[in-house]
Amino acid sequence: MAQVTIESTADNYAHRISNGLHTLLADEPPRLGGKDAGMAPFDLYLASLAACTAITLRMYAEKKGWDLGQFNAELTSSRDEAGKLQVHRILSATGALSSEQWERLLDVASRTPVTKVMSEGAVITSEHRPLKS
C-alpha cells in the first residue's frame, strides 16, 4: 500500500521522511527539545487525515459534478477524560453546495480510507535490522 523511510539528521530530533519520490522534515517544537524544523509527529498524523479527507471529497464531488471551489479542512486533536484521542474536522468550501450535498460529503468524510484506519486501529509490528555503515 505505502512505504516510507525516516532517517535522522544532525539536528537532534529532526528527521527526514521519504516515500522515495517526496521528502519532508519532521521535528519537535523547542519546548520539547527540537528546533521546529518540520511538523511534529501528531501534526503529521492530522495532516494525513486532512489530506485524505480533502482528496477523497474532491474526487467524490468531481464524480457527482459538484463544484467544491476552494476546499479547506481544519483539524484539531485533544484527549478526553479517559485519555482517548479525539479528532475534530471542520470542513469548508466556497462552492455553492446544498445542505443535502454537505450531508453526503460529511458521510463520505466519515468513511475515507485514512479515517477508517485511524478509527479502527491498525496492527503495528516492529523489528530490528542493523544499519549498514
Side-chain angles (χ1 to χ4, degrees):
M1 274 182 58
Q3 180 176 347
V4 299
T5 58
I6 188 166
E7 65 180 25
S8 58
T9 68
D11 284 335
N12 201 15
Y13 297 134
H15 284 74
R16 224 174 342 277
I17 303 168
S18 174
N19 70 351
L21 294 173
H22 307 284
T23 302
L24 59 95
L25 217 56
D27 198 2
E28 289 288 358
R31 67 181 174 77
L32 295 177
K35 293 185 178 177
D36 212 12
M39 285 196 250
F42 271 101
D43 296 335
L44 292 166
Y45 180 84
L46 291 181
S48 68
L49 179 58
C52 185
T53 300
I55 292 167
T56 301
L57 293 186
R58 174 78 55 201
M59 288 176 172
Y60 184 83
E62 285 178 359
K63 181 178 164 188
K64 292 290 192 179
W66 301 348
D67 179 17
L68 280 182
Q70 175 68 39
F71 178 83
N72 293 342
E74 180 183 327
L75 284 74
T76 56
S77 65
S78 61
R79 294 209 180 262
D80 64 17
E81 291 177 10
K84 184 166 172 80
L85 186 69
Q86 304 290 312
V87 176
H88 182 69
R89 288 182 282 210
I90 299 173
L91 309 179
S92 308
T94 60
L97 300 168
S98 69
S99 56
E100 291 82 18
Q101 288 171 313
W102 270 111
E103 244 179 74
R104 186 67 186 132
L105 289 171
L106 291 171
D107 178 58
V108 171
S110 73
R111 294 180 290 108
T112 69
V114 173
T115 301
K116 288 168 84 171
V117 169
M118 288 181 174
S119 296
E120 296 167 0
V123 176
I124 300 171
T125 60
S126 301
E127 69 177 84
H128 167 258
R129 187 176 303 153
L131 282 177
K132 297 175 183 163
S133 317

